[in-house]
Amino acid sequence: MTENTNAPYWDRSSPDLDIATIMDRRVQDHIRKIGPSMLVQVKAVKAGAASITGMVDVQPMVHQQDKQGKPHPRQMIHNVPYLRIQGGTSALIIDPKPGDIGFIIISGRDHTHAITTRQPSPPASFRQFAMQDCVYVGGFLNNGPDQFIQATDQGWRIVTPGTVSIEAAKVTANCDIETSGDVKAGGVSLKQHVHGWARCSTAPGRHCICP
């Protein structure tokens, strides 16, 4: 065996290497070709509102590196299914946003048919451990949110700069309700409606009557 002087000094073959060491290097070369799960950044979101879970385009954040140590950015991965916390017809819908940082998990085989049909399917090709066959899980390393639901030692905390909208057949609360704002029922304000104070003052014990 002759020494390969064109390779970096740490990767040159040596006539003193035994067959086991050579095989180990070959195995390591194949392992390096397996698509790794890694941090990615969301570049585009194709969300379906409350319908079927959407897809994201993501950019891997960890570059490839050649034998000289030179980094090479990876290509963007398109149409990656993202995680939605769901059981049956109940779900917590928080779609990713461009700029989010998350993680991709690589499938062992080409899962294109399974994604397209949402049914158990054979592999779409002989491709294995490819980065195209991944799913997105978020988020990691992101900035603090402007709206959130937080569990504290005192209870649940809901914060939003917008409006909390509840669409339900009925809301039942087994607790005291306090608010610094107003409460309206049937268009009538609890804070601003006018009582019939004259009738109350002339007829003690009777309830106030709103006009």
Side-chain angles (χ1 to χ4, degrees), residues 36-43 57-64 72-78 80 100-104 106 131-132 134 136:
S37 299
M38 64 173 61
L39 287 172
V40 296
Q41 188 173 49
V42 175
K43 294 299 183 180
D57 296 340
V58 296
Q59 176 66 57
M61 297 181 65
V62 181
H63 297 332
Q64 292 177 302
H72 297 272
R74 297 178 185 269
Q75 293 183 344
M76 190 179 302
I77 309 172
H78 299 277
V80 179
D100 284 356
I101 296 175
F103 207 75
I104 54 171
I106 308 294
M131 295 187 69
Q132 301 97 310
C134 65
Y136 171 82

Side-chain angles (χ1 to χ4, degrees), residues 11 20 27 40-41 51 54 60 72 78-79 85 87 105 110 125 127 154 178 182 194 197:
D11 196 46
V27 171
V40 296
Q41 188 173 49
S51 61
H72 297 272
H78 299 277
N79 298 321
I85 300 175
I105 302 173
D110 185 342
S125 70
R127 188 170 65 202
Q154 292 73 39
E178 298 182 9
D182 196 3
V194 180
W197 296 113

Side-chain angles (χ1 to χ4, degrees), residues 181-192:
D182 196 3
V183 176
K184 293 182 179 180
V188 179
S189 167
L190 182 63
K191 295 178 68 174
Q192 298 179 2

